């Protein structure tokens, strides 16, 4: 029987287990990369494991999320990351070099290989024909220390692309928004999307990367395209022709499911507040006044996208009441745009040009005004993520964003008489890696420099016989890691200081949470009740470490997002599922729960009896831990496990 692309790459990297849907498989990893928001913890964890040098062929530490230098903390973190990378044998991509996913695609991604990144949009690399998966920092640290990456084999779903996009107005962003409309933010849970069909040829590598980037919003483990002549052309333009290998599915490859998508029928789309799957055609909601437009991010900052934006802005002026912010995704693209006079076109139109970093995407500057409408070419529009709780954030293609910045209202780009130059990626990119510091040999004597804000990683105590704890919070469906551990300019400076950052846990939902959790910690700790898809969104492991530090013992939910569930386990917090969802309705905040015989249940059938002591009834929950996850939970998490 023929093989699909995922099976081929997994087989070439298999160390243990079976490549069978649902089975635990151990994989050898080729590349690991971190970004600063999650990376300070990852490198502290790597140091805590006590290994001399990274044991993967390539490790890169990027700085892209938190670039604001409003006090010493970020500068200290950046120096820590640089010295840790030097000490442990990793590349260091300096602040200003760009957003990790875009730079990685440009300079390091390899078809046929496996990469892990401490960021949920790591699947961007799938545009290159590689398996690229987002993981928590501790998972990344253990893999860098030589461990296999273990994963329950996801379902492989084929998405057959047919036809061609209606260029220039319909883009790759409209493809993934269409898929989000069809499949929702839960549609990819437990799945890898493998793209195929004749429509693949219509998309170049950066367009494919836009689609795989936002596969994260579908909840997918990752997404992948074949490596073909388009991949070769991109690598050649990056001066990396020798890195190319062809990767394609066999004609008789099998898939768990096949989805057909006709590119020719796709229209300009827009995701409405406050979820990336709340998608409609732009024409359906045209006319709404726009206050802010942001173009860039790891989703839509390719040279092609930015050059097209410049062509739309050229000779026009941003509407009187609109703020237009542009953050190119990498130094490479930024420098090329500058040398070709395209930044001048943007500035002339009234755009505010930001540095090559995440910026407004994560609320690091560029917060919209209160109640304002912000249209972004980014990938997430969760409530409050922009830095403004009552802002209305929409997601659309860079082309649609540029047109709306000029018109000052939501409008289909086809309905205005603006001229547009159709642009493709260049035959030759400008190669200048002077902001990437390569690893050196013999680095044992390099001192890792830690500023006063950098604290040790807290470790959970091993599990007790029973969990007797208070329900600290009851939540609904699709709670994001932004809800659990907000980011933004107020919070991110404390990313290396768990006691300090834990004061912000659930801040936007319940300001008293951390205080109540600390009080409950004295008497057994806390439990959180979640709905479906608990922990969707970013790979932020702070959303697990900080609640653990506050005494969280377990989360009982209807279902979990993959990376957050893994992060909870890595930090010793038990993820449990309601056996009967009707039990969710009966529990309230403040109830006291006794989860009996936890250790015996984990080692056994993974059925747990829970007494609601406050209300006087018993219900059942289950866990579906694999053998390794059982070990981790019993030991108090991955760090104590690895240390042993
Ligand atoms: Fe950065 Fe936003 Fe992407 S925070 S990594 S640009 S999702």
């Amino acid at each position: 029987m023929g093989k699909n692309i995922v099976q081929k790459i997994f087989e070439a990297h298999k160390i243990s287990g079976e490549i069978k849907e649902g089975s635990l498989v151990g994989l050898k990893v080729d590349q690991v990369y971190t970004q600063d928001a999650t990376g300070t913890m990852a490198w502290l964890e790597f140091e805590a494991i006590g290994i001399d040098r990274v044991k993967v062929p390539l490790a890169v530490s990027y700085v892209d999320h938190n670039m604001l230098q409003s006090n010493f903390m970020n500068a200290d973190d950046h120096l820590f990351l640089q010295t840790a990378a030097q000490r442990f044998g990793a590349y260091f991509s300096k602040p200003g070099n760009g957003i990790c996913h875009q730079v990685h695609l440009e300079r390091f991604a390899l078809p046929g290989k496996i990469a892990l990144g401490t960021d949920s949009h790591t699947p961007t690399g799938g545009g290159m024909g590689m398996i690229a998966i987002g993981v928590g920092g501790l998972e990344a640290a253990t893999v860098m220390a030589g461990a296999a990456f273990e994963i329950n084999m996801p379902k492989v779903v084929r998405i057959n692309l047919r036809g061609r996009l209606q260029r220039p107005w319909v883009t790759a962003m409209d493809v993934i928004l269409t898929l989000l409309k069809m499949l929702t933010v839960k549609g990819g849970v437990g799945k890898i999307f493998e793209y195929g069909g004749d429509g693949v040829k219509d998309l170049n590598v950066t367009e494919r990367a836009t689609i795989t980037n936002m596969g994260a919003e579908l909840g997918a483990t990752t997404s992948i395209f074949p490596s073909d002549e388009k991949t070769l052309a991109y690598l050649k333009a990056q001066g990396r022709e020798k890195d190319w290998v062809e990767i394609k599915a066999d004609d008789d490859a099998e898939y768990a499911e096949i989805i057909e998508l006709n590119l020719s029928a796709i229209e300009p789309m827009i995701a409405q507040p406050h979820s990336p799957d709340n998608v409609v055609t732009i024409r359906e909601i045209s006319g709404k006044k726009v206050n802010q437009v942001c173009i860039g991010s790891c989703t839509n900052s390719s040279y092609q996208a930015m050059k097209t934006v410049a062509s739309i802005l050229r000779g026009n002026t941003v509407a009187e009441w609109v703020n237009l912010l542009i953050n190119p995704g990498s130094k490479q693209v930024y420098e090329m745009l500058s040398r070709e006079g395209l930044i001048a076109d943007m500035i002339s139109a009234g755009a505010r040009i930001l540095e090559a970093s995440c910026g407004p995407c994560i609320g690091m500057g560029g917060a919209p005004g209160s109640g304002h409408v912000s249209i972004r070419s980014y990938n997430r529009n969760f409530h409050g993520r922009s830095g403004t709780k009552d802002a209305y954030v929409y997601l659309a293609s860079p082309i649609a964003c540029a047109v709306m910045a000029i018109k000052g209202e939501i409008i289909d780009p086809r309905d205005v008489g603006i001229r547009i130059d159709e642009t493709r990626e260049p035959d030759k990119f400008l190669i200048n890696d002077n902001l990437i510091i390569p690893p050196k040999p013999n680095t044992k004597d390099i001192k890792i420099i830690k500023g006063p804000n950098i604290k040790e990683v807290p470790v959970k105590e091993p599990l007790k016989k029973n969990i007797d704890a208070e329900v600290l919070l009851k939540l609904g469906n699709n709670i994001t890691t932004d809800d659990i551990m907000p980011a933004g300019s107020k919070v991110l400076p404390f990313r290396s200081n768990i006691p300090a950052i834990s004061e912000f846990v659930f801040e936007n939902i319940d300001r008293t949470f951390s205080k109540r959790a600390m009080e409950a910690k004295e008497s057994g700790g806390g439990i959180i009740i979640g709905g479906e898809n608990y922990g969707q969104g970013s790979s932020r492991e702070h959303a697990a470490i900080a609640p653990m530090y506050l005494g969280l013992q377990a989360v009982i939910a209807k279902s979990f997002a993959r990376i957050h569930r893994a992060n909870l386990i890595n930090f010793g917090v038990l993820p449990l599922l309601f056996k009967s969802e009707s039990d969710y309705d009966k529990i309230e905040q403040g109830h006291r729960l006794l989860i009996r015989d936890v250790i015996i249940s984990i080692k056994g059938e993974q059925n747990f009896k829970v007494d609601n002591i406050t209300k006087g009834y018993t219900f059942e929950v289950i866990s579906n831990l694999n053998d390794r996850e059982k070990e981790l939970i019993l030991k108090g998490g991955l760090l104590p496990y690895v240390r042993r």
Side-chain angles (χ1 to χ4, degrees), residues 433-479:
D433 290 333
N434 62 349
L435 290 191
I436 301 177
I437 303 174
K440 298 179 181 66
N442 308 322
T443 53
K444 277 192 182 160
D445 296 332
I446 289 179
K447 189 172 161 12
I448 299 172
I449 302 171
K450 291 179 193 162
N453 186 46
I454 298 175
K455 307 283 186 224
E456 296 307 312
V457 186
V459 177
K460 191 174 181 295
E461 73 285 357
L463 215 54
K464 297 201 182 81
K465 182 171 175 273
N466 298 319
I467 292 175
D468 178 356
E470 178 188 332
V471 174
L472 295 171
L473 207 54
K474 182 179 176 182
L475 300 152
N477 295 338
N478 296 321
I479 288 296

Side-chain angles (χ1 to χ4, degrees), residues 40-110:
T40 51
M41 239 345 108
W43 288 101
L44 284 167
E45 287 152 359
F46 185 83
E47 185 185 34
I49 292 170
I51 301 278
D52 253 349
R53 200 171 168 87
V54 295
K55 292 190 171 171
V56 285
L58 180 113
V60 192
S61 171
Y62 292 95
V63 180
D64 55 8
H65 274 60
N66 191 2
M67 311 278 275
L68 299 181
Q69 305 270 173
S70 48
N71 61 28
F72 66 93
M73 292 184 205
N74 275 342
D76 282 3
D77 277 358
H78 297 174
L79 185 60
F80 162 70
L81 289 168
Q82 181 161 356
T83 52
Q86 282 177 327
R87 168 66 186 82
F88 296 125
Y91 285 83
F92 181 66
S93 171
K94 289 178 74 176
N97 197 45
I99 305 174
C100 56
H101 310 305
Q102 180 154 341
V103 178
H104 206 79
L105 188 78
E106 291 168 354
R107 306 306 301 143
F108 294 110
L110 297 172

